[in-house]
Amino acid sequence: DAGVIQSPRHEVTEMGQEVTLRCKPISGHDYLFWYRQTMMRGLELLIYFNNNVPIDDSGMPEDRFSAKMPNASFSNLKIQPSEPRDSAVYFCASSFNTYEQYFGPGTRLTVT
Amino acid sequence: DQQVKQNSPSLSVQEGRISILNCDYTNSMFDYFLWYKKYPAEGPTFLISISSIKDKNEDGRFTVFLNKSAKHLSLHIVPSQPGDSAVYFCAARRAFGGSQGNLIFGKGTKLSVKP
């Protein structure tokens, strides 16, 4: 298996633009997680899905952030409009039965 | 409120010696604990885990110890190798409740193993 795949690996955008981050989980995994890592706050959970259904989105910072999982093979995280304080590394992870989570390589987002 | 704490942001160890990374938690509802290793520009990689019904789990050079009464776990790496230099994250899973599936991560400890 190729592992969790994220795209793009790097994204540089201007404030106010829409940003879309994509994730393909490991085949057969039933949980998908979106995390954000910053120096100040460390690794924080934004939202997670079980069988494509959002279970907990309490970590989503504000309404500018949204995430969907239309099928078991794909999820996206959108930020609209983006702001400089959204600059961070965004990780997607997947797991089977809520035990070990397997992370993708991350997307480094820079909002100028 | 930080439920999983790694109080040492960094640790430096000589190659061949033991590395001990510590983690404390506050929530007695946690039932499963994990350690992840992260290299720069990569995602965290699962390393080893332990269930709350055990007090020790070993995998090669890596051993995790759990002290439930103290709400403390530690990761021992013996012998340490330069390739072990990375940031290590401790994580815990809640057994019950609305957010059963997610992990709570500590802020990480950067381990440097010097040749």
Side-chain angles (χ1 to χ4, degrees):
Chain A
D1 200 316
V4 175
I5 298 172
Q6 289 187 248
S7 65
R9 292 295 310 274
H10 301 273
E11 176 79 34
V12 180
T13 190
E14 291 183 350
M15 183 174 68
Q17 296 297 307
E18 178 179 291
V19 175
T20 300
L21 312 180
R22 298 175 179 81
C23 175
K24 177 178 168 55
I26 293 173
S27 177
H29 282 187
D30 55 351
Y31 283 82
L32 184 140
F33 306 81
W34 281 101
Y35 290 89
R36 178 171 68 176
Q37 184 182 32
T38 60
M39 289 294 292
M40 288 294 292
R41 301 174 68 91
L43 196 62
E44 52 179 345
L45 178 70
L46 299 177
I47 184 172
Y48 77 96
F49 297 82
N50 177 218
N51 292 322
N52 313 338
V53 176
I55 302 300
D56 185 353
D57 65 354
S58 60
M60 297 286 259
E62 45 197 279
D63 291 345
R64 298 185 296 106
F65 285 69
S66 64
K68 292 183 180 178
M69 191 167 185
N71 58 61
S73 301
F74 176 74
S75 175
N76 63 33
L77 176 70
K78 286 189 178 181
I79 309 172
Q80 167 61 18
S82 58
E83 296 181 3
R85 60 191 168 123
D86 301 331
S87 298
V89 181
Y90 291 80
F91 290 104
C92 174
S94 70
S95 72
F96 179 68
N97 277 348
T98 79
Y99 288 98
E100 296 83 10
Q101 294 180 18
Y102 294 86
F103 283 74
T107 296
R108 181 173 293 277
L109 173 65
T110 302
V111 183
T112 61
Chain B
D1 177 31
Q2 227 181 323
Q3 298 185 60
V4 177
K5 299 178 185 178
Q6 293 177 256
N7 292 319
S8 299
S10 63
L11 174 67
S12 183
V13 171
Q14 204 68 31
E15 181 180 5
R17 307 296 289 269
I18 184 171
S19 294
I20 300 177
L21 296 102
N22 294 303
C23 178
D24 296 297
Y25 62 96
T26 57
N27 193 333
S28 58
M29 299 292 283
F30 291 145
D31 72 332
Y32 197 71
F33 303 89
L34 308 89
W35 284 95
Y36 282 80
K37 179 169 72 173
K38 185 183 182 303
Y39 292 119
E42 295 183 10
T45 303
F46 169 71
L47 191 57
I48 191 169
S49 61
I50 187 166
S51 166
S52 60
I53 63 174
K54 295 186 175 182
D55 55 17
K56 177 182 174 180
N57 188 26
E58 197 171 347
D59 184 2
R61 297 185 298 113
F62 302 91
T63 303
V64 56
F65 295 92
L66 176 62
N67 182 333
K68 283 186 67 178
S69 60
K71 293 190 176 68
H72 176 84
L73 66 155
S74 60
L75 174 68
H76 292 211
I77 306 173
V78 185
S80 301
Q81 299 173 354
D84 297 329
S85 297
V87 177
Y88 288 79
F89 291 96
C90 169
R93 188 193 80 146
R94 269 178 55 163
F96 305 103
S99 296
Q100 182 179 345
N102 65 299
L103 300 178
I104 309 296
F105 283 83
K107 292 202 171 181
T109 296
K110 184 176 182 179
L111 173 65
S112 299
V113 180
K114 303 201 180 298

